[in-house]
Amino acid sequence: MTLDSNEPVHEHRLWIDGHWTARVIKNEDDDGWAVAMHLDGGSEPALVGPWTMGRDKKNPKPLDTAAFNTLVKTAKEVIRRSEQQLHAQLNKNVTITVDGRRIRIALSIVPNEEGATATLSALDELDEELAQVAVVPTFRLTVDSAQAWVASGFERPR
């Protein structure tokens, strides 16, 4: 059997279907079992969780279609939440009012192995860009820093 093919594998401890692989593994912390869910191309599992013992209370319960589908759904949700959290860490915005106009100030950080970059943008009520400047990725966007940037005429913050 080769795991490189696109053919599904449905074994008691290994289930490969679509872009997902479920592998039942021995739990290193105790006598129990765990299941690891991998998405194709992922170096780390998207999800690792406890797995049920079989009737003999020694071996793991075999994987089946229903369990696999539930594991895929749960792993997708974990990935989605992780992506949302990362997005929130890298993209922040505040809204301020200047001379009766609402201005949204957005900070967008782009991670990069060679060094992250960041952009500060000012947008009006219609999301029309008023200004954009490069800032250091460690720039702290607050209501005060946003107001100071607008008051400076959108000069690059130091």
Side-chain angles (χ1 to χ4, degrees), residues 17-22 36-47 72 75-76 79 83:
D17 213 326
H19 297 286
W20 289 96
T21 299
M37 289 296 295
H38 285 269
L39 181 60
D40 283 356
S43 59
E44 296 291 321
L47 173 73
V72 167
K76 284 180 178 179
I79 290 171
E83 288 170 346

Side-chain angles (χ1 to χ4, degrees), residues 43-148:
S43 59
E44 296 291 321
L47 173 73
V48 176
W51 189 244
T52 308
M53 291 283 214
R55 292 181 188 262
D56 65 3
K57 303 294 181 208
K58 191 177 188 179
N59 293 305
K61 176 182 160 193
L63 287 163
D64 60 27
T65 302
F68 181 77
N69 290 339
T70 300
L71 289 165
V72 167
K73 182 179 176 183
T74 304
K76 284 180 178 179
E77 181 64 21
V78 167
I79 290 171
R80 188 181 69 76
R81 276 189 256 134
S82 177
E83 288 170 346
Q84 286 175 332
Q85 181 181 8
L86 180 60
H87 183 269
Q89 288 174 336
L90 299 176
N91 298 279
K92 300 190 182 307
N93 66 74
V94 297
T95 301
I96 59 174
T97 303
V98 178
D99 297 329
R101 291 179 45 200
R102 292 177 57 81
I103 300 175
R104 183 169 61 90
I105 308 299
L107 174 65
S108 179
I109 301 170
V110 178
N112 186 323
E113 291 177 10
E114 297 170 12
T117 59
T119 305
L120 192 61
S121 304
L123 305 146
D124 67 11
E125 296 97 340
L126 302 174
D127 270 348
E128 297 284 329
E129 190 170 87
L130 303 172
Q132 183 180 65
V133 295
V135 293
V136 295
T138 55
F139 180 82
R140 286 195 20 90
L141 178 61
T142 64
V143 170
D144 289 342
S145 67
Q147 288 173 334

